[in-house]
Amino acid sequence: MLSSPAVAGFFRDDAGNLTCDGVPLASIAEGAGTPVYVYSRALVEENYLRFDRALSAVPHLVCYATKANSNLAVLRALAALGAGADVVSGGELRAAVESGIPPGRIVFSGVGKTDEEIRFGVGLGLLAFNAESRREIEKIDEAAAALGKTARVALRVNPDIDPRSHPYISTGLKHNKFGIDIHEALDSYEGARRLSHVRMTGIQAHIGSQIGDPAPLAETARELALLASQLLERGFALETLDVGGGIGIGESGSAALSPEEYARAVLAPLHGLPLTILVEPGRAIVGAAGALVTRVLYRKANGGKEFVIVDAGMNDLLRPPLYGAIHPIESVAPPTGRPLVADVVGPICETSDFFARDRALPEIQEGDLLAILDSGAYGFAMSSNYNFRNRAAEVLVQSNGFEIVRRRETFEDLVRLERE
Ligand SMILES: Cc1ncc(COP(=O)(O)O)c(C=O)c1O
């Protein structure tokens, strides 16, 4: 971040004010209030297009993992570029389709798909269900039979590979709940031959998130390539090989993996396979394209510690307490004055309600604005109404201006369903 103004995203203008694609964050905070999530449409698009270009040597589709940020305006921007989607619920599926992503470009992942979600996906005609158990394949078959359709299914395999990131976001180890043990995969494909309303068209794996080291991703691609060759030899009409998402953006002190490095790492082991390669990046497309802008309510000192209390809370951005995520925090105004070391905390009644601990910050006064960067992924998407707080507004910066793409919630929104 704070790189040259030629690059889309968050950077300081000549006067030192923090902007998103040239629009001052202070004017967005004034227009939309705080806390507010601000997204750069240009950076979302640039990140998607970098993946698309990096994979251009092979037939491919970038299936954006909508769980990272399912704001309809973000989905519509990606749909307009021809993106596919990876969804994990009926809600995400509906949001993707309503945003203009064709069902034939959507894969449906998740260990716990309900019968209703399966019927919905079968009815739409998805690119693939990423099935996570044998029972799920049977359920997809039953739903397809009832609807007089044939569903396309990829098996999510669990390759038992350590992504070397945070344990809470490792998904490809054999003790995790995800996928089918890769050693049982051949049997599972063979078992599916007797089902007449599913076609086993793909294989998929996703080993975790925030991966900075290309080695585990390349190893996963190698394992999938081996399995794909065995399946092709056995006569399965495979069409897609999906290497999942998980590409890190260099947050929390870990290394960033660029789309180009990533593509080099995963494409090498897949060379020569007659398959369309699917990737499911979420964070790498939207993470750096979003910031949470918040206003300082108080400064105080307790027990020799400095606290900066802001109007955003862990209900708005859960990642620091949940994963120990480290988000850069910048003052929106030009940084001046004597620096301080402080905890940046929210108003919620939990000690875990923090955005940074013992962080070196510029001088900060009551009323100042701060931007919590790299918050575009798993930020608003994980937000809640805890402490009966309204969820923040979301703003999309585009065409040199900004638009509120989700208004701030009101008390009426919070109680509407209780009053029905
Ligand atoms: C199946 C699947 N695909 C893709 C992703 C996206 O991961 P990331 O945002 O780290 O790229 C996830 C994240 O949990 C996932 O579970």
Side-chain angles (χ1 to χ4, degrees), residues 395-410:
V395 156
L396 188 69
V397 173
Q398 56 184 342
S399 318
N400 300 321
F402 71 89
E403 193 187 333
I404 297 175
V405 290
R406 192 181 200 274
R407 68 162 170 78
R408 185 175 309 287
E409 289 178 351
T410 62

Side-chain angles (χ1 to χ4, degrees), residues 63 65 67-68 86 88 109-110 130 132 156 169 171 178 204-206 208-211 244-248 280-284 377-378:
C63 294
K67 66 168 76 63
D86 164 51
V88 289
S109 305
N130 288 337
E132 307 228 9
R156 176 170 180 175
I169 46 181
T171 55
F178 301 99
Q204 190 257 8
H206 169 81
S209 270
Q210 266 173 251
I211 303 170
I247 302 100
E280 303 172 356
R283 184 189 319 275
Y378 309 104

Side-chain angles (χ1 to χ4, degrees), residues 17 20 82 86 142 181 216 242 244 249 296-297 316 324 329 332 335-336 346 357 380 389 406 409 411:
N17 294 301
C20 176
D86 164 51
E142 286 160 20
D181 186 332
D242 182 341
I249 59 170
V296 175
L297 298 175
D316 296 302
I329 300 181
V332 167
T336 53
R357 284 190 159 146
F380 186 88
R389 285 164 52 84
R406 192 181 200 274
E409 289 178 351
F411 178 75

Side-chain angles (χ1 to χ4, degrees), residues 150-214:
T150 303
R152 298 166 57 92
V153 175
L155 195 67
R156 176 170 180 175
V157 296
N158 183 327
D160 195 23
I161 292 173
D162 185 352
R164 291 165 225 162
S165 62
H166 193 283
Y168 287 8
I169 46 181
S170 299
T171 55
L173 289 167
K174 67 171 180 242
H175 58 258
N176 296 138
K177 68 179 174 182
F178 301 99
I180 291 181
D181 186 332
I182 196 158
H183 303 108
E184 293 172 21
L186 283 178
D187 275 358
S188 303
Y189 279 90
E190 289 295 349
R193 281 194 201 269
R194 67 184 165 79
L195 305 175
S196 48
H197 289 83
V198 293
R199 275 180 49 220
M200 300 304 288
T201 53
I203 55 176
Q204 190 257 8
H206 169 81
I207 60 165
S209 270
Q210 266 173 251
I211 303 170
D213 177 359

Side-chain angles (χ1 to χ4, degrees), residues 121-154:
V122 170
L124 287 169
L126 301 179
L127 171 55
F129 281 89
N130 288 337
E132 307 228 9
S133 63
R134 291 187 190 205
R135 182 67 191 122
E136 184 188 329
I137 303 174
E138 287 170 0
K139 284 193 167 205
I140 297 167
D141 182 67
E142 286 160 20
L147 292 169
K149 300 210 170 209
T150 303
R152 298 166 57 92
V153 175

